[in-house]
Amino acid sequence: MHSESYLLETGGDKLYSAALLSTGKVITMASPDRYDVAIIGAGAAGLMCAITAGQRGRKVVVLDQGKRPGRKILLSGGGRCNFTNMYTSAENYLSENTHFAKSALARYTQWDFQALVDKYNIPWHEKTLGQLFCDNSSQDILNLLLDECQESGVEIRSRSTITGVEQTPEESFAVMTDGGWVEAESVVLATGGLSFPTMGVSDLGYQIARQFGHDVTGTRPALVPLTLAPELLSHYQPLSGVSAEVIASCNGQSFRENLLFTHKGFSGPAILQISSYWQPGQKISINWLPDINTQEWLEQQREERQRVTLATLLAEHVSRRLAKVLTEQILAEQADKPIAQWRKGVLERVAEQLANDQILPAGDEGYKKAEVTLGGVCTRQLSSKTMESRLQKGLYFIGEVVDVTGHLGGFNFQWAWASGYSAGMYA
Ligand SMILES: Cc1cc2nc3c(=O)[nH]c(=O)nc-3n(C[C@H](O)[C@H](O)[C@H](O)COP(=O)(O)OP(=O)(O)OC[C@H]3O[C@@H](n4cnc5c(N)ncnc54)[C@H](O)[C@@H]3O)c2cc1C
């Protein structure tokens, strides 16, 4: 094939290289660094991919715009990194194609990552529901990844913002950075999502995907607190900081975890989880008494304790403050009436509302407070085995930039490790 990359001699003996890109643009710089694999993004997925490719003997560079790699890892899990989940399966992920994640998750499992953590003697514990956290700090996980990178000969370049990726006529890629360009045989986009913009996010991954003909699904904040309109908020705001175990449901999904009242609405694991399934304008259902058949319970109480009020009854199962607010919310001016004096139909209505309270959120707190981005690079045009583009040889997408979004509980990191490993085996 006729090569359109060439060397220029410009006075003296200094060599410059130039390449005519697919777009017709000619780029020049002092001999570009050449790599087998250039990974854009030094987050969980990018670092895992780098380690895996480096271990295969590939010459790897990881480029990241941040001052240092793995910033979201440090922030994660309240500083203790919920690095995986013992019960990981494809059911813990949202995607247009719910089967897509299966292959990578089977290739690199939660047990594989746990073994790596154990190799470094990092102390960890299961917090709840299979969620594995560091005993000490997220820094332990980042140190592990950086040590593995070093051992595999991976080069990490921080403060390197990528502005574009283009194909060279030699079927390699030119990765344009704010400080020149590097050439690589394979390029892996591990640029993450749009959540937590203070961490320095960008939509480069989506842009590059579109540039090479990929579809990108609509994206929106997920694992995000929900807000309430002023009237409803005025009832719940006094509970700000209180949490209660509930079942939150929406669109056929239910999560039994804690709900946390905030000064803007609802948060806590149950709400973060259901936020990924909720669509603006829809109601969510809250079961405030998940262990109780509310109808039978109220009927029995009416028989046995005729003078008892709802607030007193509820306070036997939830905090006194929540009992008071729920009572006022459900019974309004009848809140002080003993159960035996409730008019016909009230008991049924109270039972229904306690078990299936229909709440209309006003919105969510946006990317600023979202743990992840729902949607992303469409899985249809990616190989589930290798994460390689089906449209452009040598181009890979991994981690959160792909339309695979995990539940809360270590699943997003497990996807980052698994997809990073899968691409690293082939890139
Ligand atoms: C507060 C918080 C807590 C979380 N806690 C957990 C948890 O405990 N467990 C869990 O499983 N998940 C958790 N998550 C989600 C998890 O952090 C992400 O899903 C995961 O980090 C995604 O990894 P990634 O490598 O795909 O992307 P990221 O970690 O986001 O990395 C992407 C990298 O690409 C770089 N980049 C982007 N654009 C460019 C560009 N143009 N040029 C150069 N570099 C670029 C960014 O600087 C960044 O370093 C949490 C998220 C947040 C926000």
Side-chain angles (χ1 to χ4, degrees):
M1 184 186 139
H2 172 66
S3 167
E4 292 180 80
S5 288
Y6 44 89
L7 290 175
L8 300 175
E9 217 161 329
T10 60
D13 54 2
K14 198 160 184 194
L15 284 181
Y16 281 76
S17 92
L20 174 64
L21 302 176
S22 50
T23 50
K25 196 157 66 181
V26 175
I27 49 175
T28 61
M29 69 170 277
S31 300
D33 297 320
R34 288 191 173 77
Y35 296 89
D36 296 327
V37 188
I39 298 169
I40 307 176
L47 292 174
M48 178 54 88
C49 181
I51 293 163
T52 313
Q55 284 170 350
R56 287 173 45 233
R58 302 286 277 165
K59 188 181 176 200
V60 181
V61 66
V62 187
L63 304 156
D64 197 291
Q65 62 191 0
K67 276 190 212 148
R68 50 188 186 143
R71 287 170 302 161
K72 270 195 188 163
I73 296 172
L74 291 180
L75 195 75
S76 67
R80 293 227 165 109
C81 189
N82 177 194
F83 55 82
T84 194
N85 193 296
M86 279 161 57
Y87 306 120
T88 303
S89 81
E91 271 119 64
N92 301 111
Y93 296 88
L94 292 90
S95 172
E96 248 179 29
N97 176 1
T98 49
H99 299 290
F100 181 80
K102 283 183 183 168
S103 171
L105 292 172
R107 218 162 260 273
Y108 191 87
T109 67
Q110 57 272 42
W111 314 119
D112 291 321
F113 195 76
Q114 190 206 310
L116 185 58
V117 170
D118 288 343
K119 179 180 146 193
Y120 280 78
N121 292 318
I122 295 173
W124 56 267
H125 61 279
E126 180 191 351
K127 195 169 169 191
T128 174
L129 304 169
Q131 302 167 6
L132 306 191
F133 280 76
C134 294
D135 285 359
N136 299 327
S137 147
S138 306
Q139 187 73 53
D140 287 349
I141 299 296
L142 183 56
N143 290 348
L144 169 165
L145 295 166
L146 296 179
D147 283 1
E148 289 279 305
C149 278
Q150 199 174 13
E151 216 166 282
S152 322
V154 170
E155 182 183 334
I156 300 177
R157 288 196 202 171
S158 296
R159 297 177 198 265
S160 185
T161 300
I162 307 309
T163 52
V165 174
E166 294 191 31
Q167 218 190 345
T168 69
E170 290 160 327
E171 297 190 356
S172 67
F173 295 93
V175 179
M176 257 65 80
T177 81
D178 49 1
W181 61 288
V182 300
E183 190 180 347
E185 199 180 301
S186 299
V187 169
V188 183
L189 271 303
T191 43
L194 302 171
S195 60
F196 257 68
T198 45
M199 288 289 102
V201 300
S202 86
D203 65 354
L204 181 88
Y206 309 133
Q207 274 180 43
I208 302 296
R210 287 195 187 97
Q211 177 189 326
F212 285 92
H214 283 258
D215 295 324
V216 178
T217 71
T219 52
R220 63 183 173 88
L223 300 181
V224 63
L226 298 176
T227 59
L228 297 176
E231 211 214 309
L232 199 51
L233 185 61
S234 66
H235 289 283
Y236 292 112
Q237 213 171 23
L239 294 172
S240 187
V242 171
S243 67
E245 191 178 345
V246 303
I247 297 175
S249 309
C250 189
N251 287 324
Q253 290 289 326
S254 292
F255 293 92
R256 181 176 176 156
E257 288 189 63
N258 274 350
L259 175 153
L260 172 71
F261 295 92
T262 72
H263 63 286
K264 290 190 176 167
F266 295 162
S267 185
I271 295 301
L272 298 180
Q273 299 278 34
I274 211 66
S275 74
S276 300
Y277 292 90
W278 172 78
Q279 299 280 350
Q282 291 183 330
K283 289 181 174 168
I284 58 169
S285 159
I286 303 291
N287 180 342
W288 298 104
L289 297 173
D291 288 318
I292 290 175
N293 178 325
T294 52
Q295 175 84 23
E296 285 176 9
W297 174 64
L298 288 172
E299 280 170 2
Q300 192 187 350
Q301 297 303 316
R302 188 168 57 186
E303 299 247 308
E304 293 172 5
R305 307 160 73 183
Q306 298 180 358
R307 300 190 54 75
V308 77
T309 62
L310 182 60
T312 304
L313 281 178
L314 285 176
E316 290 166 12
H317 296 278
V318 299
S319 75
R320 204 162 273 283
R321 286 167 72 191
L322 177 55
K324 182 170 177 286
V325 168
L326 285 178
T327 302
E328 286 164 3
Q329 173 72 0
I330 297 171
L331 288 175
E333 67 283 357
Q334 295 190 56
D336 293 331
K337 274 201 177 161
I339 191 167
Q341 290 177 26
W342 289 357
R343 280 201 293 270
K344 198 165 176 289
V346 171
L347 185 143
E348 288 70 19
R349 182 172 65 76
V350 172
E352 171 64 13
Q353 202 165 336
L354 287 172
N356 180 21
D357 202 358
Q358 294 290 309
I359 306 265
L360 178 66
D364 63 49
E365 289 198 40
Y367 284 120
K368 215 170 144 192
K369 290 285 173 71
E371 275 200 16
V372 285
T373 300
L374 195 71
V377 178
C378 196
T379 55
R380 271 194 306 269
Q381 294 131 350
L382 297 178
S383 156
S384 61
K385 184 176 166 194
T386 66
M387 303 292 132
E388 188 176 14
S389 162
R390 293 188 190 283
L391 309 177
Q392 175 60 57
K393 192 173 171 312
L395 186 66
Y396 297 76
F397 294 88
I398 57 172
E400 199 179 317
V401 75
V402 178
D403 173 29
V404 173
T405 307
H407 289 171
L408 188 78
F411 301 105
N412 284 296
F413 277 138
Q414 188 55 40
W415 168 246
W417 315 136
S419 59
Y421 174 86
S422 298
M425 288 299 289
Y426 295 91

